Amino acid sequence: MISKKELLFQIVLHVLVLLFFSFDRNQGGIIVHKAIFLLFYSVATIAVTYFLMPRFLYRKKYWQFFLGFILVVVAVIAIEELILEPIMFPNTKRGNSFPGIYISLLGVLPVMFILSGCKFGWDALQKQDQIDELQSTIQESELQFLRSQINPHFLFNNLNNLYSYALQNSPKTPEIILEMSGVLRYMLYESKEQFVPLKKELEQLGNFIRLYRLQIEDRGIVRFEVGDMQEEYRIAPLILIVFIENAFKHSQSGLSSNIVIDISVQMEGAVLEFHCNNNFETVPSLDTVAKGIGLKNVQKRLELLYPNKHQLEIKEKDNSYQVYLKLELEKI
């Protein structure tokens, strides 16, 4: 079924071709017999573009397509020479004789090639639009899947900690539950968009850090520094949280005291710079912590959301784990 847009495109195309091939500048008008032949060629081209191309060419049945195209051209020349020209030019040399296949082809093929080529280009553009839409849908589905992994990951890590506090009858258990509910509310309801305001994300980042500070208590130092944000920018939600969660879990897995975690977020123009450093003590299971699902998840999201607009460096040196992320953000 031809769309209205394509129909309009075909009408404009045929009118332009008709004017180009049948207009006589010397006479200042359209030559009638040329216009009639062009309309005949157009009808023949429709058989090529709307029957042969979709049925054979687009299905990679090239020999069938070329054979069909040749048959259409032969039929056009035969009808033109045996029917149309004798009717339009009776008792003349043009109406009574065949000028030769070469001259006939020069009259037919340019028009058919132009019309068929434009139709092929139109179909290619529509197909590319479909591919782009499909890729966008696939990418969005993949992003939704990656984001959906964050909530279970967050719950898994924090419920274990909450369980240990509950066993100890810690007075901080209710506070931890309250902080967890706030972070989960943001994850579930407020971060569904592909991008969120940076200030809102940083506010939740602070809530998240306070939740983990409750778990560390007096076993170490957690520093969180946010630079001055002069303008409103937007960022993909739950990107930075993954690195911070990993830092806390990484340190706590091997250290019972002297934990040091430094987190900073700075802006320079439209570029965000995020630093997250933590110390750790090597234990057999620590490598799994440092390279868990969260980091793989966020690396994939960065590739999808910030292609060629991010720089991620992760270094491990002298019992120090360092993450540096640079993002080019867009204004709201």
Side-chain angles (χ1 to χ4, degrees):
M1 186 70 178
I2 187 171
S3 65
K4 291 182 180 179
K5 188 184 294 185
E6 183 177 354
L7 180 61
L8 178 62
F9 167 75
Q10 289 290 353
I11 291 173
V12 172
L13 173 64
H14 281 72
V15 169
L16 291 175
V17 171
L18 179 68
L19 292 174
F20 181 80
F21 281 98
S22 64
F23 186 80
D24 191 325
R25 289 185 298 176
N26 296 325
Q27 297 181 8
I30 294 177
I31 301 175
V32 176
H33 72 270
K34 284 189 176 182
I36 292 174
F37 285 131
L38 285 168
L39 290 174
F40 175 55
Y41 300 158
S42 297
V43 172
T45 306
I46 289 174
V48 174
T49 55
Y50 287 94
F51 179 79
L52 294 179
M53 286 170 57
R55 179 163 294 190
F56 299 116
L57 182 62
Y58 297 158
R59 296 180 181 179
K60 299 183 179 181
K61 298 179 180 180
Y62 301 119
W63 286 110
Q64 292 92 323
F65 170 76
F66 286 118
L67 179 59
F69 182 77
I70 291 172
L71 290 176
V72 170
V73 172
V74 170
V76 168
I77 294 175
I79 295 172
E80 179 181 359
E81 296 297 332
L82 298 177
I83 300 176
L84 293 181
E85 289 199 351
I87 293 175
M88 298 178 65
F89 306 102
N91 301 319
T92 63
K93 182 178 180 181
R94 179 171 181 176
N96 296 329
S97 63
F98 179 56
I101 189 67
Y102 179 73
I103 295 178
S104 296
L105 288 175
L106 285 179
V108 175
L109 289 182
V111 177
M112 295 189 68
F113 279 157
I114 290 173
L115 295 177
S116 299
C118 289
K119 169 61 175 170
F120 181 82
W122 174 272
D123 289 343
L125 289 174
Q126 300 307 304
K127 183 64 67 176
Q128 186 60 49
D129 287 343
Q130 293 176 3
I131 293 173
D132 291 343
E133 183 178 354
L134 180 60
Q135 288 178 337
S136 177
T137 302
I138 292 173
Q139 185 182 82
E140 182 61 28
S141 298
E142 187 170 1
L143 282 171
Q144 291 295 338
F145 171 72
L146 291 172
R147 286 172 61 186
S148 71
Q149 290 180 312
I150 294 175
N151 294 339
H153 191 237
F154 169 80
L155 278 173
F156 176 77
N157 289 337
N158 284 279
L159 284 176
N160 283 336
N161 295 325
L162 183 61
Y163 176 71
S164 63
Y165 274 88
L167 287 178
Q168 299 168 15
N169 293 319
S170 171
K172 292 189 176 182
T173 302
E175 190 177 355
I176 292 176
I177 294 174
L178 185 63
E179 292 289 349
M180 278 185 63
S181 67
V183 175
L184 279 175
R185 187 183 303 110
Y186 177 71
M187 286 182 170
L188 292 173
Y189 302 114
E190 300 179 36
S191 63
K192 290 184 178 180
E193 299 296 325
Q194 190 168 348
F195 296 95
V196 297
L198 176 61
K199 288 185 178 179
K200 191 173 185 179
E201 181 74 6
L202 292 178
E203 179 184 339
Q204 294 303 318
L205 213 61
N207 295 338
F208 188 84
I209 291 171
R210 281 195 296 273
L211 174 63
Y212 271 100
R213 271 192 180 131
L214 291 172
Q215 299 173 18
I216 288 182
E217 295 180 324
D218 57 353
R219 294 181 294 148
I221 300 173
V222 178
R223 288 185 285 265
F224 179 44
E225 179 186 353
V226 178
D228 188 23
M229 306 295 164
Q230 297 291 339
E231 299 182 71
E232 291 288 339
Y233 288 89
R234 59 180 192 158
I235 187 173
L238 310 179
I239 289 282
L240 306 180
I241 280 178
V242 175
F243 297 113
I244 295 173
E245 181 183 23
N246 188 73
F248 278 96
K249 191 169 179 61
H250 197 193
S251 290
Q252 292 181 83
S253 296
L255 294 171
S256 58
S257 61
N258 298 321
I259 294 173
V260 178
I261 299 175
D262 286 306
I263 304 161
S264 70
V265 182
Q266 305 291 334
M267 286 287 292
E268 186 174 341
V271 177
L272 178 142
E273 292 190 349
F274 170 79
H275 294 267
C276 184
N277 303 327
N278 67 278
N279 62 342
F280 67 92
E281 190 68 37
T282 303
V283 294
S285 62
L286 199 56
D287 189 58
T288 303
V289 174
K291 300 177 181 178
I293 186 174
L295 286 180
K296 293 179 180 178
N297 183 312
V298 77
Q299 287 170 337
K300 183 63 175 178
R301 289 185 68 207
L302 286 170
E303 291 172 5
L304 291 171
L305 292 171
Y306 295 96
N308 303 317
K309 290 185 177 182
H310 77 278
Q311 177 185 346
L312 176 62
E313 297 177 1
I314 300 177
K315 299 179 181 178
E316 184 177 327
K317 183 180 180 182
D318 299 330
N319 288 348
S320 175
Y321 199 77
Q322 304 171 358
V323 174
Y324 169 73
L325 174 64
K326 183 165 72 172
L327 287 178
E328 294 181 32
L329 302 184
E330 297 180 353
K331 290 184 179 180
I332 296 176

